Amino acid sequence: MTEPKKIRKEKEQEFHKKLILDAAKRLFAKKSIIEVTVDEIAKESGFAKSTLYSYFASKEALVSELLDSIITERLKELEDIAISDASPEKKILMYIGMNFEEAIEDRDMAVLLSRESHLFYDRTSRTLSKDIMNKILSAFKRSHSLLARIYDEGREKGVFREMEPRLFSTFLLSVIRGIIVRWWHFAPDEDIKFYINPVYEIILHGIEK
């Protein structure tokens, strides 16, 4: 195969893989990863089941690749926020904004990650392989660690009160996930960016007058 043909072939394969991954993502946003079948993904993507298997050895391989890209990208963004010169308060605002803005850009992935988080935390789950579970759990731990680092920075500067940093990170992540899922199911026409500042205010100042 000549070089131009090889390049065209590789681009075509990448395009087909993206179509399949996007189709799977749409389905995973509607119902659980557990429930979606390979037949459904093939039908949604417009490819034959045999074609799908030529790109992905199994549904699990497909799920793994789908999660890989988003986990890598989000961790990099959070790391950039954590090491930035911004104040601890600003870093929290940046992180909240990042999540809601990405939810607008990719609703299906946002809902998938938020709704299925229980699956990713469940060490006894038989839906995902041990390798994928370890990868996901490692990413969650890294997220908690970076958010705890931001909280510790604010505490050391006297901006935040004494609290267990991981309790703070768990609370923040839970609030963000809950709002995204509610938005998707009950208020999809709302501008979710409206919630950035209110969530920030509640996180920093609570609900007292």
Side-chain angles (χ1 to χ4, degrees), residues 107-173:
R107 290 190 175 208
D108 293 334
M109 180 59 81
V111 174
L112 165 63
L113 293 176
S114 297
R115 195 198 57 228
E116 300 283 2
S117 58
H118 69 284
L119 189 71
F120 304 147
Y121 277 115
D122 183 2
R123 295 176 183 273
T124 65
S125 172
R126 296 182 180 180
T127 306
L128 303 174
S129 73
K130 185 176 179 181
D131 287 343
I132 295 179
M133 288 297 295
N134 287 339
K135 185 188 305 180
I136 292 169
L137 287 171
S138 175
F140 275 126
K141 287 178 181 178
R142 182 61 177 156
S143 296
H144 278 289
S145 175
L146 289 166
L147 289 171
R149 171 179 171 172
I150 294 172
Y151 187 82
D152 279 334
E153 181 186 343
R155 189 170 55 178
E156 289 170 5
K157 291 183 176 181
V159 178
F160 303 152
R161 65 183 177 86
E162 287 295 323
M163 181 189 291
E164 169 55 46
R166 289 188 66 84
L167 177 60
F168 161 76
S169 64
T170 299
F171 177 68
L172 178 56
L173 290 168

Side-chain angles (χ1 to χ4, degrees), residues 15 26 41 45 50 53-54 61 66 103 113 118 129 169 171 178 181-182:
F15 179 65
R26 288 194 297 274
I41 297 171
S45 66
S50 58
Y53 277 124
S54 71
L66 185 61
L113 293 176
H118 69 284
S129 73
S169 64
F171 177 68
V181 171
R182 176 198 168 277

Side-chain angles (χ1 to χ4, degrees), residues 17-173:
K17 283 183 72 174
K18 184 179 185 306
L19 291 177
I20 294 168
L21 289 169
D22 286 346
K25 189 165 54 177
R26 288 194 297 274
L27 293 172
F28 293 151
K30 294 175 183 175
K31 58 182 183 179
S32 175
I33 290 173
I34 302 171
E35 300 172 324
V36 175
T37 66
V38 173
D39 286 327
E40 289 174 318
I41 297 171
K43 182 178 179 181
E44 179 73 15
S45 66
F47 291 103
K49 190 175 177 179
S50 58
T51 302
L52 191 148
Y53 277 124
S54 71
Y55 289 106
F56 303 99
S58 63
K59 186 178 88 171
E60 186 161 293
L62 187 154
V63 171
S64 178
E65 184 157 337
L66 185 61
L67 293 174
D68 262 349
S69 60
I70 192 68
I71 286 173
T72 301
E73 182 180 338
R74 289 198 172 191
L75 277 179
K76 178 63 168 62
E77 289 176 345
L78 177 52
E79 286 171 353
D80 288 344
I81 291 172
I83 65 175
S84 73
D85 293 330
S87 67
E89 306 99 296
K90 179 66 173 177
K91 289 178 183 181
I92 292 174
L93 180 61
M94 291 165 65
Y95 179 69
I96 295 169
M98 179 193 86
N99 278 274
F100 290 161
E101 286 163 7
E102 287 181 348
I104 292 171
E105 293 173 8
D106 195 341
R107 290 190 175 208
D108 293 334
M109 180 59 81
V111 174
L112 165 63
L113 293 176
S114 297
R115 195 198 57 228
E116 300 283 2
S117 58
H118 69 284
L119 189 71
F120 304 147
Y121 277 115
D122 183 2
R123 295 176 183 273
T124 65
S125 172
R126 296 182 180 180
T127 306
L128 303 174
S129 73
K130 185 176 179 181
D131 287 343
I132 295 179
M133 288 297 295
N134 287 339
K135 185 188 305 180
I136 292 169
L137 287 171
S138 175
F140 275 126
K141 287 178 181 178
R142 182 61 177 156
S143 296
H144 278 289
S145 175
L146 289 166
L147 289 171
R149 171 179 171 172
I150 294 172
Y151 187 82
D152 279 334
E153 181 186 343
R155 189 170 55 178
E156 289 170 5
K157 291 183 176 181
V159 178
F160 303 152
R161 65 183 177 86
E162 287 295 323
M163 181 189 291
E164 169 55 46
R166 289 188 66 84
L167 177 60
F168 161 76
S169 64
T170 299
F171 177 68
L172 178 56
L173 290 168

